[in-house]
Amino acid sequence: MLLFAPYILLAFCGAAAFCGALNIVVVSMVEVLGKEEHGGMKAEKREVRGARWLAAVPEDEYVLKGNSACAGCTAMIALRYALKASRATGRKTLLLVGACCMVVCEGVYPNTAYNVPTLDTAFACTASMASGVEAALKSFGRRDVNVIAFAGDGGTVDIGIQALSGAVERGHNFLYVCYDNEAYCNTGMQRSGATPLCARTTTTPSGKREKKKDVPRIIAAHDIPYVATVCPSYPMDLYEKFKKALSIEGPKYIHVLTPCPVSWRFPTSKGIEMGKLAVRTGMWTLYEVEHGVFRLSAPSRRVVLNGDVLPVEKYLRAQGRFNGITDEEVERIQKIVYQELERLKEATARRRLW
Amino acid sequence: MVWSVSAKEAASESDAVRAGTRRVIEIRLHSRGGQGGVTAAKMLAVAAFLEGKYSTASSFYGAERRGAPTVSFTRISDHEIRKYSQIRRPDCVIVMDPTVIDAVDVTEGLKPGGKLLINTENNIDADKFEDYEVYTVNATKISLDFDLKVAGAPVLNVPIVGAVAKMGIVRLDAVRGAILKMFPNEKNVAAAEVAYKMAAML
Amino acid sequence: MQEEVVFVTGNEAVARAVKLAKPNVIAAYPITPQTEIVEVLARYVESGELRSEYIHVESEHSAMAACIGAASMGARVFTATAAHGFLYMCEMIFWASIARLPIVMANVNRALAPGWNIWAELKDAMAHRDAGWIQFYTASIQEAYDTTLMAFRVAEDRRVMLPTMVNLEGFVLSHVMQPLRLVDEAAYDEFLPPVRIPHALNFERPHTLGTLISPEHNFLVQYDNNKCMRAADDVIAETEREFEKITGRRYRAVMKYRCEDAETLVIAMGTLAREAEVACDSLRDKGEKIGVLRLRQLRPFPKAFAEEVKRLPAERFIIIDRAYSSGYGGILAEEVKARLYDLGIIKEVKSIIAGLGGQDVPHEALEKLFMDKQGGETWYGV
C-alpha cells in the first residue's frame, strides 16, 4: 500500500555509510552536545560512561550495510539497537515489520538487510501477525525467542491501533515498537494521528489543527507490564529500555521518537540534535511505566522536575515542516507543552501515568 | 450413504417414493422461545435415528427473543434427506404452547388427515381441527409433577416427545434412548413414559 | 471396528473435524452463523481435548493476520468466518494466498448488509474467487466434516501450499442437525502427515518473508501461484481417493446425479443442488430426462467439469446461482458459460438466480423453474 518511498534512491547512497559509522556518530554527539551544554569535567565523565556502555553492547550487526535507509535515518538507529539489545538477552530474535519505511530499508527481493528471521506484515496488522507468531512459538514449546514487532506511527496510532490494543489486551509475550516520525513519511509525509500541532504535511498544507495522539498513554492504560518512550538521541537510555523490556514476560510497548530529516526538513546530519531538542524543549518526554509504576528517565527528569526547559521555538524553527508558523501558534504549542510537563510532574509524584 | 447415484439406482429410489416407502415424514413444532422447541425437534430426530432411520432437525432462526413464537422442524426418512427448504406441507404439527394457537395458524399447510398434537390442560374444540387426527397431552402438568424445570420454567420437550411416540411417529423405546443420550436422567424417561400413557386422541 | 455416529449441527461437525486435524494455532472471531464453530473449538481447547493455541482476536482482519503469522512460523492453523467477517479480512485473504500459506478456513456463507440478513448466500465466498484460495462448497453436514478433514491435507501438500476454504451455507447447513459418521482418529493421523511448510521462518538460516519485490519478479510469484493452483486439482482428486479408502465415502470435484442419459443438466453448488436432486426425481417420474451436476469446488475450477460436459449428452444447461454479480450475471452461470465456450459447446443455457439472502427455495419451485422452457436469466420470486 505505502511501500514505495520516493526517497529510495537517496537511500541507497547515504544510509550504509551512516549506519556503519553509527557508533562514532553517537559518541561524537555526546561529545558535542555535552560540551556545549555542560562544559569541561562533566562532559569528560559522560564520554567515559558512553565508551564503557558502548563496550558492553554486542558487536554483532543485524542491520547490514547496504540497507536502503535514507541518509540520517534515526529509525534505523532504533532498530539496530533493538536487535543488539535482543542479542544481549541471549535469546533469538524474530522480527516483524509493518508496512512502513523499515520494509523499504530491507532492500528489494532477493536481498534483505536484516540478519534475523523477518516477517513483513500488512499495514493494520503488525500486532496481530505478531500474536500469531507468538502463539506458534508457544505451540512449538519455544521459549528462547524475542518476538519484536516494528511499525511506524501510521501503522500504530492510526490504522493498527485496534490490532495493537487487541494484542496487548490478550497478553501475548512480545515487544511492540512504534517508531514515530510523526507522519506517513514513507509516502512523502502525509498527516498521521501522531503529527504534532501546526506541522505542515502534504495533507495539512497550512498546518495540522489537532494535537498529537498520545498512544503510549493509551497502551499504558491497558495495564501491560512495560511501556517506555525513547529517542535515538539518547542511545544508552534506548538500549537499556529495550533490554529491560525484553527481560519482562508479557506484552511490552516502546514508543521511539525518530526525527526524519527528509520529512521534517532539516539537514541530514542534525537527526540526533533534533531528538535532543525535542526532549530538551519538552516536546518529547522519556519515561517508563514498569508494572504500572511511572518513572521519568534521566534526560527528561531535569526538564520536567527542575524546569530546565528550552523554549519550543528553538525546536520548531529548526524544522522546515513548521515553516510559516505564526508567533501565536508557537505560543499555543508552548502553552500545551507547559501543561503537559505539569501533568507529567504530577504523574511523577503519584508514580502513575494515568 | 450413497453419494453418486446412477440413473438405474435412482430410478428404483424414485419408484420407492411412488410406492410410499421412501416417504419423508415432515414435522413442524410450534413453541415459544425458551420452551425447548429446538431441543424437542432434535430429540425426535435422534429417536428416529436410533430406530435406524435418517433424520434432520432444524429451526427457523430469526431475530430471536425469549417468549416469541418459534417453529422448529424434524424430517424423518429411510434414506438420506436432501431437502433443505422449509417444511411447508407437514405431515405432523406439534403445538408445545397452546397460547401460540391464538398467535399463528398452526395448521397452515398441514396435510388433510395429518397428525396434530397439542399440549393443553383444557378440552380442545374438536370441530376446529376436524380435518386432522388430533392428540392432546397435558405436558405442562407432567413436567411440573416431575419437577422438570430450567430457570424456573417447566421443560416441555421431554413429555412432548413421549406423547409423539403415542402418535406412532417414533417408537417409545427410541424416545427413551434419545432422552438418555441427551439428558441422562431416569426422571426424564419416566416423564416421557407418563406422557405416552396420558396422550389421547380426540 | 464400530463406526461412531453422532447427531450434530454443521458447525459442530466442522469443529470436530478441526479437532482431529489438531492445528497448532486457532485464531477466530465470532460471527453469526459461524459462532458455534469457534465456541465448540474454544471448549475443546479449554477442556484440554485439543492442544491448540487459541487466539481470541479482536477482529477478523486480525484473525487472518494471526493465522498468517503462525503459518509463517510453520504452524498448522485454522480459522472460521462468515459474510462481513470474511469481507473484513479481505486484505489478509489475498495476503495468505500470495504468501503461499496452507491456512484452512471454514466460511459459513451468509448474505451481506445493509439490511442485516444472517441467512445463506454464497456471495461472500464467490466474490473472493480470484483471491487465490482453494474453494470447496459442501452440501451436507457429513460433507462439511469430510471436506474440512481433506482440506488440511490438500492445503499442506507440497505441490499445493495454498490456503483452502470450506464453505457451508448459513443455517441450512450450519444449524441443521444430521447424523454424522466420525472418522477414526488413528486413521486420520495416518491420512494427514505432519505439517511442513518449506518457506517457514527459521533461526538456523534467517530469511525475510514479504519484502519489496520488483516488476521483474512479481509476475513470477503469481505465475507460480497459478501453477500450484492448477496442480491442486489433481492433488484434490488424489486426496479424495485416499479419503475414500479410509471412510468408504466418495467425493469428486463434480458430483453427478442421474446425468448419464439426461437431456437437461442442472448445474449447481451447495444445498440447492441437493434440493434440485429431489426436483429431478419428481421430473424423472413424469418422464423428463433431467440430471443434476453438482460442483464441489470452484477454485481450482475442476478439469473434470470439462470432461463430463464433453461426454454427457445433455442439450440444455440450467445453472442455479446463490450469488450474483451485478451488471453481469449469476457468477456460476458465467463461469460455466466461459468453460463451455472453451470447449466449443454452444447449447442452450438458462440461468436461475435463487436463494439470495436465505430465500427459501423448495424443490416444487425448482421443478417449475426447470420446466419453464424460456432461456436466459430468471430470478426466482421476481
Side-chain angles (χ1 to χ4, degrees):
Chain A
M1 206 179 300
L2 297 172
L3 288 182
F4 293 99
Y7 316 113
I8 191 156
L9 283 177
L10 219 174
F12 273 117
C13 341
F18 178 77
C19 278
L22 186 70
N23 284 345
I24 302 157
V25 173
V26 169
V27 172
S28 63
M29 279 298 165
V30 169
E31 193 183 340
V32 170
L33 278 168
K35 267 183 188 156
E36 255 179 21
E37 289 169 16
H38 305 289
M41 285 292 287
K42 231 175 183 177
E44 232 166 81
K45 253 190 204 165
R46 286 166 63 91
E47 245 177 88
V48 170
R49 202 152 60 92
R52 199 175 296 148
W53 166 77
L54 216 47
V57 174
E59 281 178 25
D60 309 14
E61 293 296 348
Y62 298 97
V63 177
L64 302 178
K65 292 178 184 179
N67 69 69
S68 337
C70 299
C73 178
T74 58
M76 221 21 155
I77 304 176
L79 176 61
R80 184 170 175 235
Y81 278 86
L83 297 179
K84 280 173 180 276
S86 178
R87 170 79 182 83
T89 63
R91 284 191 293 272
K92 295 179 166 59
T93 306
L94 192 294
L95 178 67
L96 293 106
V97 183
C100 61
C101 295
M102 291 293 108
V103 172
V104 181
C105 293
E106 279 166 22
V108 181
Y109 172 86
N111 301 308
T112 180
Y114 301 165
N115 198 15
V116 290
T118 304
L119 180 59
D120 293 328
T121 78
F123 214 0
C125 64
T126 314
S128 40
M129 265 203 204
S131 308
V133 165
E134 187 254 12
L137 287 168
K138 220 164 156 187
S139 160
F140 300 153
R142 288 199 74 144
R143 306 188 57 82
D144 60 335
V145 181
N146 294 322
V147 178
I148 304 178
F150 238 78
D153 52 297
T156 303
V157 316
D158 289 346
I159 198 169
I161 195 166
Q162 174 182 318
L164 172 59
S165 172
V168 299
E169 181 268 333
R170 289 190 297 271
H172 294 284
N173 181 26
F174 79 122
L175 167 63
Y176 189 100
V177 184
C178 169
Y179 72 95
D180 180 2
N181 44 31
E182 302 196 318
Y184 293 88
C185 295
N186 183 27
T187 49
M189 209 208 185
Q190 294 79 31
R191 169 209 195 275
S192 84
T195 302
L197 188 66
C198 295
R200 273 67 174 157
T201 67
T202 55
T203 50
T204 54
S206 59
K208 190 189 174 196
R209 300 203 170 97
E210 305 79 18
K211 39 180 243 186
K212 184 182 176 75
K213 194 197 277 188
D214 190 349
V215 171
R217 200 142 62 99
I218 293 170
I219 301 304
H222 288 68
D223 253 339
I224 62 172
Y226 191 74
V227 173
T229 58
V230 296
C231 177
S233 306
Y234 299 89
M236 285 188 259
D237 179 69
L238 178 138
Y239 177 81
E240 294 303 329
K241 279 175 180 165
F242 271 104
K243 236 172 74 180
K244 184 190 273 186
L246 291 170
S247 73
I248 295 169
E249 180 89 13
K252 287 86 61 174
Y253 178 81
I254 293 184
H255 198 109
V256 195
L257 182 75
T258 54
C260 170
V262 183
S263 297
W264 296 15
R265 283 173 276 151
F266 60 76
T268 307
S269 60
K270 299 277 188 196
I272 300 299
E273 202 172 311
M274 217 49 70
K276 291 233 165 195
L277 270 175
V279 171
R280 296 282 287 110
T281 54
M283 290 288 288
W284 186 245
T285 304
L286 307 181
Y287 61 78
E288 55 187 349
V289 185
E290 200 180 338
H291 297 293
V293 178
F294 173 79
R295 193 166 42 240
L296 283 170
S297 307
S300 285
R301 212 169 293 147
R302 60 191 176 126
V303 177
V304 176
L305 302 182
N306 305 344
D308 185 5
V309 53
L310 297 175
V312 292
E313 193 161 11
K314 220 175 160 180
Y315 176 71
L316 301 175
R317 299 280 185 215
Q319 300 169 31
R321 63 173 171 161
F322 292 107
N323 270 352
I325 192 169
T326 64
D327 290 346
E328 290 76 45
E329 283 173 330
V330 171
E331 204 170 307
R332 194 172 151 215
I333 294 172
Q334 185 67 71
K335 217 170 128 190
I336 290 169
V337 166
Y338 283 150
Q339 278 169 358
E340 179 64 13
L341 292 180
E342 203 47 48
R343 197 179 62 76
L344 288 164
K345 207 169 171 177
E346 283 165 24
T348 310
R350 277 185 289 121
R351 303 177 73 207
R352 308 287 303 184
L353 181 58
W354 47 276
Chain B
M1 266 174 267
V2 186
W3 293 104
S4 189
V5 185
S6 73
K8 203 175 155 216
E9 275 176 282
S12 62
E13 282 191 21
S14 219
D15 293 341
V17 173
R18 235 192 330 269
T21 53
R22 209 200 142 172
R23 238 170 67 92
V24 179
I25 300 171
E26 299 188 315
I27 304 164
R28 186 172 72 211
L29 291 94
H30 291 270
S31 61
R32 288 187 182 273
Q35 284 179 334
V38 185
T39 312
K42 183 178 176 183
M43 220 181 269
L44 273 177
V46 170
F49 174 60
L50 293 176
E51 284 181 13
K53 290 181 175 151
Y54 191 96
S55 53
T56 67
S58 61
S59 172
F60 183 77
Y61 290 85
E64 282 170 38
R65 60 188 179 85
R66 207 149 265 265
T70 58
V71 281
S72 312
F73 308 100
T74 303
R75 281 186 166 112
I76 300 170
S77 172
D78 291 332
H79 299 268
E80 190 200 357
I81 294 165
R82 296 166 298 170
K83 289 185 192 177
Y84 288 90
S85 52
Q86 284 166 36
I87 292 174
R88 286 152 193 263
R89 299 194 29 79
D91 302 279
C92 170
V93 167
I94 297 164
V95 181
M96 288 174 68
D97 184 330
T99 66
V100 171
I101 296 173
D102 303 328
V104 292
D105 177 7
V106 294
T107 56
E108 189 190 355
L110 179 61
K111 289 173 187 161
K115 294 177 179 184
L116 177 65
L117 171 68
I118 301 173
N119 167 30
T120 179
E121 53 186 5
N122 305 316
N123 289 328
I124 289 289
D125 179 6
D127 295 347
K128 203 171 155 189
F129 302 113
E130 61 179 357
D131 291 346
Y132 313 112
E133 197 181 311
V134 185
Y135 291 76
T136 58
V137 69
N138 192 345
T140 312
K141 182 176 181 297
I142 296 167
S143 173
L144 291 171
D145 288 350
F146 279 87
D147 197 27
L148 304 177
K149 279 185 190 171
V150 166
V155 175
L156 301 176
N157 45 37
V158 165
I160 281 289
V161 175
V164 173
K166 188 69 159 278
M167 300 162 79
I169 292 170
V170 283
R171 291 200 307 265
L172 183 61
D173 61 329
V175 166
R176 268 192 215 113
I179 292 171
L180 285 175
K181 265 199 180 312
M182 293 171 70
F183 305 105
N185 183 341
E186 284 299 333
K187 200 164 77 171
N188 289 316
V189 175
E193 280 167 350
V194 168
Y196 177 82
K197 277 192 207 117
M198 305 280 284
M201 191 160 81
L202 275 191
Chain C
M1 189 175 18
Q2 180 84 30
E3 191 183 27
E4 202 183 338
V5 185
V6 291
F7 199 82
V8 294
T9 62
N11 278 340
E12 184 175 336
V14 170
R16 281 173 177 266
V18 173
K19 185 178 159 203
L20 275 190
K22 303 182 196 73
N24 299 92
V25 176
I26 297 166
Y29 187 81
I31 178 171
T32 304
Q34 155 267 38
T35 322
E36 192 189 1
I37 297 180
V38 300
E39 285 174 344
V40 173
L41 285 173
R43 215 164 57 215
Y44 289 154
V45 172
E46 292 225 338
S47 68
E49 286 171 85
L50 174 60
R51 292 165 66 88
S52 299
E53 290 297 322
Y54 190 110
I55 311 179
H56 301 266
V57 283
E58 81 298 329
S59 75
E60 286 91 351
H61 191 276
S62 287
M64 189 45 68
C67 286
I68 289 168
S72 299
M73 298 303 296
R76 175 174 294 157
V77 295
F78 175 80
T79 188
T81 192
H84 288 260
F86 196 160
L87 267 64
Y88 193 44
M89 61 168 70
C90 176
E91 181 194 21
M92 306 322 291
I93 288 287
F94 282 76
W95 192 288
S97 92
I98 299 169
R100 301 284 305 277
L101 298 171
I103 295 162
V104 174
M105 175 169 83
N107 178 48
V108 185
N109 307 97
R110 162 187 152 180
L112 300 168
W116 285 111
N117 179 304
I118 52 174
W119 293 280
E121 187 179 313
L122 300 183
K123 197 173 196 166
D124 53 1
M126 291 184 90
H128 284 86
R129 78 205 146 131
D130 302 337
W133 281 60
I134 293 168
Q135 291 200 352
F136 290 112
Y137 291 81
T138 60
S140 75
I141 283 166
Q142 185 73 55
E143 190 179 348
Y145 173 82
D146 291 342
T147 308
T148 308
L149 291 176
M150 287 189 276
F152 282 98
R153 175 158 153 168
V154 170
E156 292 169 8
D157 190 289
R158 184 110 195 208
R159 294 162 288 175
V160 178
M161 276 295 147
L162 285 168
T164 302
M165 79 178 75
V166 178
N167 289 286
L168 59 155
E169 284 147 286
F171 295 102
V172 284
L173 275 187
S174 65
H175 285 59
V176 167
M177 281 174 259
Q178 287 177 353
L180 174 75
R181 282 159 205 274
L182 297 178
V183 172
D184 174 61
E185 189 175 346
Y188 186 66
D189 284 348
E190 213 166 297
F191 174 78
L192 181 68
V195 60
R196 214 193 86 68
I197 301 171
H199 57 299
L201 290 171
N202 66 84
F203 299 95
E204 290 69 42
R205 286 173 57 87
H207 65 277
T208 297
L209 288 178
T211 187
L212 300 189
I213 182 158
S214 68
E216 287 91 73
H217 290 111
N218 184 289
F219 69 90
L220 290 173
V221 172
Q222 302 198 37
Y223 178 78
D224 239 28
N225 206 311
N226 176 52
K227 217 166 69 182
C228 294
M229 183 58 100
R230 298 232 182 239
D233 205 20
D234 295 329
V235 174
I236 292 166
E238 183 188 303
T239 307
E240 285 164 347
R241 282 193 297 272
E242 289 298 314
F243 191 76
E244 193 175 347
K245 278 185 203 156
I246 63 165
T247 63
R249 289 190 290 275
R250 183 174 183 275
Y251 295 100
R252 293 294 180 265
V254 173
M255 305 291 280
K256 289 172 293 171
Y257 185 77
R258 307 182 82 167
C259 290
E260 293 306 319
D261 63 339
E263 288 159 7
T264 302
L265 208 53
V266 177
I267 302 170
M269 301 197 302
T271 55
L272 284 185
R274 303 312 304 280
E275 192 88 21
E277 288 177 12
V278 179
C280 168
D281 282 342
S282 169
L283 287 171
R284 283 264 175 186
D285 289 345
K286 293 170 189 157
E288 294 291 329
K289 286 190 165 175
I290 184 165
V292 181
L293 197 151
R294 179 164 70 87
L295 284 176
R296 245 172 60 75
Q297 95 207 21
L298 185 67
R299 287 291 181 276
F301 199 89
K303 281 185 280 189
F305 177 80
E307 286 155 20
E308 294 295 350
V309 168
K310 267 195 289 191
R311 197 178 58 78
L312 293 169
E315 285 298 320
R316 183 167 174 254
F317 297 93
I318 299 175
I319 299 141
I320 311 175
D321 258 296
R322 198 169 209 154
Y324 193 74
S325 173
S326 263
Y328 193 54
I331 297 174
L332 182 61
E334 299 309 323
E335 294 252 330
V336 166
K337 279 194 245 176
R339 285 300 116 183
L340 294 179
Y341 181 89
D342 283 351
L343 300 168
I345 298 174
I346 307 297
K347 284 179 186 167
E348 194 192 332
V349 173
K350 179 188 170 79
S351 160
I352 296 172
I353 312 299
L356 303 188
Q359 182 189 35
D360 188 44
V361 189
H363 53 93
E364 295 92 340
L366 286 176
E367 222 177 288
K368 272 191 209 136
L369 287 165
F370 297 162
M371 289 312 290
D372 180 5
K373 294 297 172 198
Q374 201 189 330
E377 185 178 295
T378 306
W379 286 60
Y380 170 54
V382 177

